[in-house]
Amino acid sequence: MDFINILWILLISFGINYFFFMFASFFKSDVFTDITYALSFSALSLIFFIWKQNFHLNQILVFVLINLWALRLGTYLFMRIIKIKVDHRFDSMRNSFWKFGTFWTYQAFTVFMTALPAIMFLAVDANLLEKSSWSSFASLILLISLFGLIFETIGDYQKNVFYNKKALSKDLINGDFIQSGLWRITRHPNYFGEVSFWYGICLTVITTVLISDSTTWTNYLFLIFFISPIFLNVLLIYISGLRLLEQREWEKMKDNITYQTYIKNTSMIIPFVGKKGKLSVLKNKNDKNNKIYY
């Protein structure tokens, strides 16, 4: 394993994000934030693909999937920010260079951690991977990533259609929320698809490398990269994503009986078999005990 490549991934990730941070900070704009996140993955994969010129089938498939994911996410997030104009997540930090910069630093590190196994895989000598005919088995694992990409795409599309219809229709009231399509079997199909995508990538990378040469002990260092999808899993579910969304939705609809029934009967992440009901104790500014239970 070439640790110099890890350093390059870190430097490129931070370089791209800090570059666009300067524009975002100067113009006090939210337009650059999410699109830069998606662009970082595409740029990293393109740089290493051209630089290393390794063209094993699995490397090509990983490269293509990452860029399809980045294109899908980047387009969706860009169209959303153009529509809503302002991302209220940044209201308390947009006018502070250091607070806003802290978020961009956090974003750059997230890109580094998430992309690490995939980009390192693009740097592996393709001749090494060609030694084993069993590596074709590893490419089948990429179906997990393809499934995740399709799943989150459909989920975002269904949500977008629902709320566009809600904005135009008099038949839908403010208390209505999406609970159809994929949202009927999981409360967060986009997060389930996202986590599935990166677990699939990581599994493919590790399996391909170990199958190609399981006798070289340094190849087992790739097992460390399991920290990447685990990091994303924890980040989305317990830190910056799901927890905040669940709290915001609860505060808006805690008196909605239909919503209460929905969260009790619908899996939070994994369709059908995932955890239902309460994620944890959530904060409530209006509660003396500063807690929400559901």
Side-chain angles (χ1 to χ4, degrees):
M1 182 182 295
D2 191 344
F3 291 97
I4 296 298
N5 287 327
I6 295 178
L7 179 60
W8 273 115
I9 296 169
L10 180 68
L11 292 175
I12 293 171
S13 176
F14 275 78
I16 292 171
N17 279 272
Y18 281 156
F19 176 79
F20 283 101
F21 161 64
M22 300 308 294
F23 288 95
S25 179
F26 180 80
F27 292 106
K28 300 294 188 291
S29 173
D30 301 335
V31 173
F32 300 96
T33 312
D34 288 333
I35 190 66
T36 302
Y37 178 75
L39 177 64
S40 297
F41 288 90
S42 185
L44 275 167
S45 65
L46 185 60
I47 289 171
F48 272 79
F49 199 64
I50 294 175
W51 176 19
K52 300 298 182 178
Q53 296 189 31
N54 295 314
F55 304 119
H56 183 271
L57 175 61
N58 287 357
Q59 291 172 311
I60 295 172
L61 290 175
V62 167
F63 173 79
V64 170
L65 276 174
I66 288 176
N67 282 276
L68 285 176
W69 172 88
L71 177 63
R72 201 280 315 177
L73 180 65
T75 301
Y76 173 77
L77 294 177
F78 183 72
M79 295 301 294
R80 186 182 68 174
I81 193 62
I82 292 298
K83 182 178 180 179
I84 65 177
K85 308 297 183 184
V86 175
D87 190 332
H88 293 292
R89 291 179 301 168
F90 307 121
D91 287 348
S92 63
M93 63 181 78
R94 192 182 301 109
N95 294 318
S96 170
F97 180 87
W98 297 111
K99 288 183 179 179
F100 206 22
T102 299
F103 173 84
W104 280 81
T105 300
Y106 155 79
Q107 176 166 281
F109 182 74
T110 300
V111 170
F112 165 72
M113 285 295 296
T114 305
L116 185 58
I119 306 305
M120 283 294 291
F121 182 57
L122 297 180
V124 174
D125 188 345
N127 293 324
L128 172 65
L129 304 182
E130 292 289 354
K131 291 181 180 179
S132 174
S133 60
W134 287 97
S135 62
S136 58
F137 166 76
S139 62
L140 293 177
I141 302 176
L142 275 177
L143 292 175
I144 298 174
S145 294
L146 182 61
F147 165 78
L149 178 60
I150 294 173
F151 200 90
E152 65 177 329
T153 300
I154 294 174
D156 281 336
Y157 173 77
Q158 290 174 338
K159 184 177 182 179
N160 191 51
V161 169
F162 175 84
Y163 284 106
N164 284 339
K165 180 179 178 182
K166 180 176 179 178
L168 298 173
S169 176
K170 295 181 180 179
D171 297 329
L172 293 172
I173 59 176
N174 290 332
D176 287 330
F177 59 95
I178 184 168
Q179 51 181 318
S180 57
L182 296 181
W183 300 81
R184 182 176 60 85
I185 59 176
T186 168
R187 305 207 300 265
H188 300 278
N190 46 350
Y191 286 171
F192 173 70
E194 183 80 356
V195 172
S196 298
F197 178 84
W198 290 107
Y199 268 109
I201 292 289
C202 189
L203 283 169
T204 301
V205 168
I206 291 173
T207 305
T208 303
V209 172
L210 291 184
I211 287 178
S212 66
D213 186 1
S214 60
T215 61
T216 303
W217 74 268
T218 54
N219 284 346
Y220 285 90
L221 291 176
F222 274 79
L223 290 171
I224 297 174
F225 291 151
F226 264 122
I227 195 174
S228 173
I230 293 173
F231 168 81
L232 181 66
N233 200 127
V234 172
L235 180 69
L236 288 178
I237 296 176
Y238 298 107
I239 300 177
S240 67
L242 184 146
R243 181 181 295 274
L244 298 178
L245 287 175
E246 289 276 315
Q247 179 172 325
R248 186 172 61 191
E249 291 299 306
W250 175 259
E251 290 176 348
K252 287 195 303 183
M253 295 187 290
K254 58 186 176 183
D255 296 324
N256 186 325
I257 301 301
T258 303
Y259 179 73
Q260 292 180 11
T261 302
Y262 173 71
I263 64 174
K264 288 179 180 178
N265 298 326
T266 307
S267 299
M268 190 173 300
I269 294 289
I270 305 175
F272 302 113
V273 299
K275 177 180 174 60
K276 300 177 181 179
K278 180 184 67 172
L279 171 65
S280 64
V281 178
L282 300 176
K283 295 181 179 180
N284 180 2
K285 296 178 181 179
N286 299 319
D287 191 326
K288 293 182 179 179
N289 295 321
N290 202 34
K291 296 178 181 179
I292 293 176
Y293 296 91
Y294 64 90

